[in-house]
Amino acid sequence: MKPVYIINGFLGSGKTEFINFTLDQPYFQSSGKTLLLLCEEGEEEYDPYVLKRSKTIVETIEEEADFTPEKMVELEKKYHPERIIIEYNGMWQLQRLYEQMPQGWMIYQEVMIADYNTFLSYNTNMRSLMVDKLTSCEMVLLNRAPVGADKMEIHKVVRGVSRRTEIGYDYVDGNFDYDEIEDPLPFDIEAPIIEIADADFAVWYRDLTEEMEKYQGKTVRFKGRVVTKHRSLKNCFVCGRHVMTCCVEDITFMGLACTGYSPEKLENGGWYTVTANVNIQYSTVYGKRGPVLAVSACIPAEEPEQEVATFY
């Protein structure tokens, strides 16, 4: 397997500077070649000495359409690299990269590089691209951060997409540290009944589906819209909310399988406050194991003030 390092981020964020620095470190030296795929050219240039010393060959991929398995295999056969680094164009969707990755190439690490001073404006103006870059990266590195930088707003943006991504700050005075802001869940998972506020549904749903086992046997109470008419529903119903991750185009209904309560008693599409015990088991609703709610109460409720749930 060829290890692939993906360095993503927008133009001017410092990707080239980061890769230059990394290639020059002793821990990144190897006897074999490194193939660096450059998907956009910024103002910063690679140091020829560093490239020679690290046995790095640079190939430019000018168009997104040129990023094909055939092209990548051709380059691999030409250079026989020990590893591949991809400086990815921030305006290209990562999904295409994943889909075009040749067989035998394995993503070893994915890092997003961002300029502290422009991160929030990019998030405001190009939210869907920001979410695309944050979703799967292991770390976000904020360059050019001022001493005493305010971390909270950036923390909220990153955590709105991923609870696993590390956040690091590279300061203008040469120091570096990690975001260590505590990120407790906005509800008490140890309570006899875990009460989910309307504003916390998206965070709870993601936590429940990512760490299902910790909810096994827990009792929850939340408000959602019910679905009683669907071919996958047999003696059960679904209760959930529409959730927006980044923009209007990605709004998706995220529902949970519910049993133990007659669907005939419910209005399809109506809002209800559900109290239920969580069991992790197979369900035809998911086509696999997932959280199945054994409902003890289902009470008609008012529509929440914000119908579409968000992460922050």
Side-chain angles (χ1 to χ4, degrees):
M1 301 295 287
K2 296 287 183 182
V4 178
Y5 299 81
I6 300 174
I7 311 300
N8 71 56
F10 300 108
L11 189 66
S13 62
K15 298 192 297 293
T16 301
E17 182 182 355
F18 173 80
I19 296 173
N20 249 329
F21 174 82
T22 303
L23 289 173
D24 201 33
Q25 299 309 299
Y27 63 80
F28 212 78
Q29 303 301 315
S30 68
S31 57
K33 299 174 185 176
T34 295
L35 173 60
L36 172 57
L37 300 180
L38 184 60
C39 298
E40 66 179 352
E41 295 189 53
E43 295 180 0
E44 186 85 14
E45 295 185 356
Y46 283 97
D47 185 330
Y49 172 76
V50 172
L51 294 178
K52 182 178 180 179
R53 181 169 175 265
S54 61
K55 303 181 183 67
T56 299
I57 302 140
V58 179
E59 282 280 351
T60 301
I61 308 294
E62 295 183 350
E63 301 293 335
E64 188 175 8
D66 294 336
F67 211 114
T68 64
E70 293 77 17
K71 177 67 174 178
M72 300 307 105
V73 169
E74 176 188 326
L75 293 174
E76 183 180 351
K77 288 181 178 178
K78 181 178 180 180
Y79 298 114
H80 302 285
E82 184 175 292
R83 59 193 166 191
I84 299 99
I85 300 175
I86 303 175
E87 182 181 334
Y88 202 60
N89 190 316
M91 303 305 291
W92 299 355
Q93 294 284 341
L94 279 165
Q95 188 59 40
R96 175 175 175 79
L97 171 60
Y98 303 148
E99 292 172 351
Q100 300 300 315
M101 194 84 69
Q103 186 175 4
W105 287 27
M106 177 184 68
I107 298 175
Y108 187 79
Q109 189 175 43
E110 185 178 329
V111 177
M112 178 182 182
I113 309 298
D115 187 323
Y116 172 90
N117 304 286
T118 59
F119 182 91
L120 293 177
S121 62
Y122 271 115
N123 182 63
T124 299
N125 298 311
M126 294 190 290
R127 174 65 177 163
S128 60
L129 283 170
M130 180 67 80
V131 170
D132 176 66
K133 303 301 174 287
L134 288 173
T135 297
S136 55
C137 69
E138 298 165 42
M139 180 180 178
V140 180
L141 175 62
L142 282 302
N143 278 323
R144 306 157 191 153
V147 177
D150 183 359
K151 300 177 180 178
M152 184 54 74
E153 288 306 309
I154 290 176
H155 177 91
K156 289 179 181 178
V157 170
V158 177
R159 287 292 171 264
V161 180
S162 171
R163 295 178 64 86
R164 295 187 294 267
T165 299
E166 286 191 296
I167 309 170
Y169 288 84
D170 193 3
Y171 296 97
V172 292
D173 66 357
N175 288 316
F176 178 89
D177 69 10
Y178 288 98
D179 176 344
E180 295 182 349
I181 297 173
E182 289 190 19
D183 201 33
L185 292 168
F187 43 84
D188 183 3
I189 195 171
E190 299 303 328
I193 299 178
I194 305 171
E195 299 279 357
I196 308 302
D198 291 345
D200 299 331
F201 179 86
V203 172
W204 170 65
Y205 181 90
R206 184 176 61 191
D207 194 60
L208 171 62
T209 52
E210 288 182 354
E211 300 186 48
M212 295 187 294
E213 299 302 333
K214 76 181 184 183
Y215 285 91
Q216 173 65 41
K218 301 283 187 179
T219 301
V220 299
R221 181 179 291 137
F222 68 99
K223 183 188 295 183
R225 174 170 272 169
V226 304
V227 177
T228 61
K229 298 178 180 179
H230 190 274
R231 62 181 179 275
S232 67
L233 303 179
K234 297 179 181 179
N235 301 317
C236 69
F237 65 95
V238 167
C239 186
R241 298 270 304 271
H242 282 91
V243 175
M244 180 172 69
T245 301
C246 66
C247 54
V248 173
E249 287 75 13
D250 81 343
I251 293 176
T252 305
F253 184 79
M254 297 184 176
L256 299 164
C258 300
T259 63
Y261 196 93
S262 176
E264 287 76 17
K265 297 179 181 180
L266 305 174
E267 175 192 356
N268 187 52
W271 289 92
Y272 291 84
T273 297
V274 171
T275 304
N277 187 261
V278 180
N279 295 294
I280 309 304
Q281 62 189 64
Y282 177 85
S283 172
T284 55
V285 172
Y286 312 121
K288 59 182 180 180
R289 290 180 79 249
V292 177
L293 309 187
V295 178
S296 57
C298 194
I299 303 170
E302 294 292 326
E303 180 179 322
E305 184 176 341
Q306 184 174 316
E307 180 181 350
V308 177
T310 60
F311 289 95
Y312 71 100

